Amino acid sequence: MTKKELIFLGPPACGKGTQTSRLAEYLNFPHVDTGSLLRAEIKNETEAGKEAKSYIDKGQLVPVELVTRIIKNRLSQKDCENGYILDGFPRSVEQAAELEKMNAEIDKDQDTKFIAVYFDIDTSILVERIVNRRSCPKCGEIYNLAFKAPKQEGICDKCGTELTQRKDDTREVAQSRFDTYNKETAPLVEYYTKKGSLKSIDANGTIDEVWERLLAVIK
Ligand code: AMP
């Protein structure tokens, strides 16, 4: 059976998290989201979490060694053996090289298909999206006060937990996250185009419209 390795690129709040969570359920693949893994380390007050916090609070990338260690550990687990959805990694050309190394090590002679999906979006709308974003700390469901509000204010529709706002979802930190994206992550679009693995989708529009476009490219 061919293992499917799907990675996702796009600026902060482009809708990757919403779509990849849905895709993970649809394909029954684990959703490996580095931002959430790092936030869990912070919440659990681990050494990695303590180190990552200062970078995340400033909208910068956490050191490559730290994030690579966490991802390698996660992708080596049994539930990733038929495929995985990687959201938020790699975020630099250096991390892309690390991913290639770890895939080669983990997959050995396994037959694999690697696809990088790029969410192409009008970035002028994204800061408003970020400041209106709320999420459920328990089940991870993502809401937006402007276009996907919970039925009951401040409460998760799925599990009834009180919604929270990410500490880095402020106007100031968002700007710094965009700068980091443009400098470190945007070059990956060209990197994967050259390798012939990039599939670009129009990420403007409703959640369902983007979902249909996503399904069409991952088949
Ligand atoms: P996200 O939830 O994807 O928006 O990520 C939140 C923050 O976590 C980012 O602004 C970075 O500080 C950090 N982060 C997430 N993924 C990575 C990564 N692959 N490399 C370095 N830092 C990361």
Side-chain angles (χ1 to χ4, degrees):
M1 183 183 174
T2 305
K3 177 175 178 181
K4 252 191 185 169
E5 301 177 334
L6 305 173
I7 69 152
F8 292 83
L9 302 172
C14 66
K16 278 188 292 109
T18 302
Q19 299 292 342
T20 50
S21 304
R22 189 167 171 181
L23 189 63
E25 255 177 57
Y26 179 80
L27 294 175
N28 198 21
F29 283 172
H31 177 219
V32 180
D33 160 15
T34 42
S36 299
L37 290 174
L38 291 166
R39 283 187 287 278
E41 298 281 341
I42 294 176
K43 198 168 168 213
N44 295 332
E45 296 181 351
T46 64
E47 281 310 309
K50 281 181 206 156
E51 190 184 347
K53 187 173 182 317
S54 61
Y55 296 92
I56 294 181
D57 285 352
K58 285 192 259 180
Q60 296 168 354
L61 296 188
V62 307
V64 63
E65 302 75 21
L66 195 163
V67 74
T68 304
R69 190 166 11 101
I70 292 176
I71 287 295
K72 189 170 179 195
N73 181 19
R74 185 64 192 89
L75 298 187
S76 308
Q77 288 170 25
K78 197 162 169 45
D79 64 343
C80 293
E81 71 186 359
N82 294 328
Y84 58 73
I85 288 169
L86 198 44
D87 172 9
F89 185 93
R91 246 175 159 102
S92 66
V93 171
E94 192 184 5
Q95 292 185 9
E98 289 296 332
L99 179 62
E100 278 152 36
K101 265 196 261 166
M102 69 178 95
N103 277 342
E105 231 177 87
I106 297 168
D107 299 338
K108 303 219 170 57
D109 295 328
Q110 195 176 2
D111 184 21
T112 59
K113 182 170 180 172
F114 181 90
I115 304 175
V117 182
Y118 170 54
F119 279 47
D120 192 3
I121 193 162
D122 171 9
T123 52
S124 65
I125 61 163
L126 296 182
V127 172
E128 285 315 304
R129 233 191 224 190
I130 285 180
V131 295
N132 282 312
R133 180 158 66 181
R134 302 290 183 273
S135 58
C136 175
K138 192 163 174 220
C139 73
E141 186 70 0
I142 305 165
Y143 296 87
N144 192 288
L145 304 184
F147 61 89
K148 190 196 165 192
K151 291 192 182 75
Q152 192 187 339
E153 196 185 324
I155 303 293
C156 179
D157 294 345
K158 277 197 167 170
C159 70
T161 305
E162 198 172 329
L163 300 178
T164 53
Q165 181 174 26
R166 275 170 49 172
K167 212 171 156 243
D168 59 346
D169 273 352
T170 60
R171 263 175 224 282
E172 300 68 35
V173 183
Q175 195 47 57
S176 152
R177 285 160 61 203
F178 281 109
D179 294 345
T180 305
Y181 173 81
N182 288 328
K183 188 162 161 256
E184 309 272 358
T185 314
L188 286 176
V189 173
E190 197 189 333
Y191 180 88
Y192 286 119
T193 303
K194 280 190 180 149
K195 285 186 176 281
S197 2
L198 194 85
K199 305 266 189 193
S200 201
I201 61 167
D202 176 4
N204 298 289
T206 65
I207 292 173
D208 286 339
E209 283 165 354
V210 179
W211 172 245
E212 292 303 325
R213 294 177 201 137
L214 173 59
L215 285 186
V217 298
I218 55 108
K219 291 273 158 65

